[in-house]
Amino acid sequence: MGKKRKHSETQAGEPKKQGEGAPERPKRTLMGWKDKEEVQKQTDSNLESNPQVFRNKEKVMVTCSRRINYRYRHLMLNLVSLLPHCKKDNKVESKSSKGSTLNELIELRGCSSALFFECRKNRDLYMWMARCPNGPSVKFLVNAVHTMEELKLTGNHLKGSRPLLTFSSNFEKDAHWKLLKEMIMQIFGTPKEHRKSKPYHDHVFVFSIVDDHIWFRNYQISVPHNESDKMVRGGLDKMTLVEVGPRFCLNPIKIFAGSFGGPTLYENPFYVSPNQIRALEKRKKAGKYAKKVKAKTRRKMHEQSNPLEPDEFADMWRE
């Protein structure tokens, strides 16, 4: 049998015909098909008009401490699903040197900010919100936690869509609230044209201040899509908000100038730690027990000081 020719030799021997290749496909955009020349003209004109175009490259690293409670871990996963521009990392040991390790992790992952969930005594959850590597950073106590799985609400929105951020008017009252508002906007706001995000706005993040606490809610923007109920663009009368979840409350403790530490810029004068609250409850219970013991001793002293008179019929039926 003769040897077979190699595939490369057969291809090299055949002369290539000109004009056989398919024409290049034009670029597809949201407004339709566009040729390469038109796209190049548009980009050149945009660069001429705005030579320094700002592009938001915000990336958030979300992680937690070891020995975290399952409920708080579910809250962290809910926030990861809501933020398409975040990166999840392994658990970090909650020690005094956690700031340096977290800053190193954030730099390795190429992120610019972080959300760190720290669980203590398997019951208290603290959330660190930090800009890296130069700060500032905020430490919150997280209360009133309700996850999406626990609430089972009827709201539903597209995963990866960009949220609208709304803030109550109290955020403009003091300087520390303005700083917190700016940090929340940078961390929770999804950058435009992010590769994992969808170009839609179908839900709202609501941040409101009540009793010096920040309350978080997530609502779906529900719009009727029937032909009879079709609404005009910009009409807000028929739009409704349906809650999706999760829910939580942030109690600010301290604002630091650096990332996960540094000089203290603000300290909450009304903050009471959960350990102090539990100690007060124990003292109240201890006070109840002490009252019972005192009542028993008073009763015994009263019986000794006021003995009963002997009954003449007490031994009547003993014989």
Side-chain angles (χ1 to χ4, degrees):
M1 290 178 70
K3 290 184 179 178
K4 289 183 179 179
R5 280 187 182 178
K6 291 181 181 177
H7 187 65
S8 58
E9 290 178 8
T10 56
Q11 281 185 346
E14 293 175 2
K16 291 185 180 179
K17 295 181 182 179
Q18 293 182 353
E20 269 192 2
E24 281 193 24
R25 206 174 176 186
K27 188 180 178 182
R28 188 176 185 180
T29 61
L30 293 172
M31 304 301 293
W33 298 92
K34 287 188 178 180
D35 294 329
K36 279 192 173 180
E37 294 178 359
E38 292 182 15
V39 173
Q40 191 65 31
K41 284 178 184 177
Q42 283 186 359
T43 52
D44 292 342
S45 62
N46 290 334
L47 286 170
E48 286 174 6
S49 58
N50 297 321
Q52 294 180 348
V53 180
F54 171 73
R55 187 173 178 184
N56 189 0
K57 294 183 179 180
E58 183 72 32
K59 291 177 187 174
V60 184
M61 193 188 79
V62 181
T63 185
C64 63
S65 62
R66 295 191 181 276
R67 295 173 292 278
I68 192 170
N69 196 356
Y70 72 95
R71 199 175 182 200
Y72 300 149
R73 190 179 70 251
H74 289 176
L75 174 68
M76 183 191 74
L77 294 175
N78 290 160
L79 285 178
V80 167
S81 65
L82 289 176
L83 304 175
H85 62 291
C86 77
K87 292 183 178 181
K88 198 172 72 168
D89 209 293
N90 297 329
K91 293 179 180 178
V92 178
E93 193 67 44
S94 180
K95 291 181 179 178
S96 58
S97 62
K98 65 177 178 289
S100 58
T101 55
L102 281 167
N103 284 326
E104 191 175 347
L105 274 173
I106 292 159
E107 189 179 353
L108 287 171
R109 295 302 298 269
C111 299
S112 55
S113 51
L115 287 175
F116 177 60
F117 292 87
E118 186 180 2
C119 186
R120 291 183 185 173
K121 296 189 176 179
N122 206 21
R123 59 177 78 182
D124 303 328
L125 181 66
Y126 296 91
M127 187 174 81
W128 285 84
M129 194 183 290
R131 296 282 302 167
C132 301
N134 300 321
S137 56
V138 194
K139 187 180 181 182
F140 296 100
L141 174 68
V142 186
N143 294 320
V145 174
H146 300 283
T147 60
M148 288 185 187
E149 294 82 7
E150 180 187 347
L151 290 169
K152 294 181 181 176
L153 296 167
T154 56
N156 187 18
H157 59 78
L158 190 68
K159 187 175 181 179
S161 59
R162 297 178 65 207
L164 297 172
L165 301 180
T166 60
F167 297 89
S168 61
S169 58
N170 306 352
F171 277 96
E172 302 297 328
K173 188 170 63 176
D174 294 321
H176 64 278
W177 291 123
K178 289 180 182 178
L179 176 61
L180 289 176
K181 178 182 176 181
E182 186 61 33
M183 288 189 70
I184 290 168
M185 283 171 65
Q186 292 182 16
I187 291 172
F188 284 87
T190 305
K192 189 180 178 182
E193 296 177 358
H194 190 269
R195 62 189 182 87
K196 288 187 180 179
S197 67
K198 311 288 190 303
Y200 311 109
H201 295 281
D202 61 347
H203 64 290
V204 187
F205 288 167
V206 181
F207 297 92
S208 51
I209 298 173
V210 181
D211 297 332
D212 292 328
H213 290 58
I214 300 173
W215 297 79
F216 173 83
R217 294 290 184 271
N218 179 25
Y219 295 99
Q220 175 204 357
I221 302 170
S222 180
V223 183
H225 290 289
N226 302 332
E227 290 188 4
S228 58
D229 296 336
K230 224 168 190 179
M231 55 186 277
V232 186
R233 180 177 285 184
L236 302 174
D237 302 332
K238 294 184 180 179
M239 280 188 184
T240 54
L241 295 177
V242 186
E243 191 173 354
V244 181
R247 297 176 180 173
F248 57 88
C249 170
L250 300 175
N251 184 10
I253 303 170
K254 279 186 180 182
I255 301 176
F256 300 99
S259 177
F260 297 101
T264 304
L265 300 177
Y266 170 77
E267 187 173 358
N268 190 358
F270 305 107
Y271 171 70
V272 181
S273 70
N275 290 331
Q276 290 180 350
I277 294 168
R278 285 193 287 269
L280 288 171
E281 288 176 357
K282 282 185 179 179
R283 281 176 195 167
K284 283 181 182 178
K285 288 178 183 177
K288 285 182 182 178
Y289 178 73
K291 284 178 184 177
K292 285 181 183 178
V293 172
K294 283 180 182 178
K296 282 183 181 179
T297 53
R298 278 201 305 268
R299 179 67 185 168
K300 284 182 180 178
M301 294 291 290
H302 178 72
E303 287 176 357
Q304 289 175 4
S305 59
N306 300 309
L308 292 171
E309 294 179 359
D311 190 7
E312 57 184 22
F313 299 107
D315 300 328
M316 185 175 176
W317 303 105
R318 283 190 181 177
E319 295 177 358

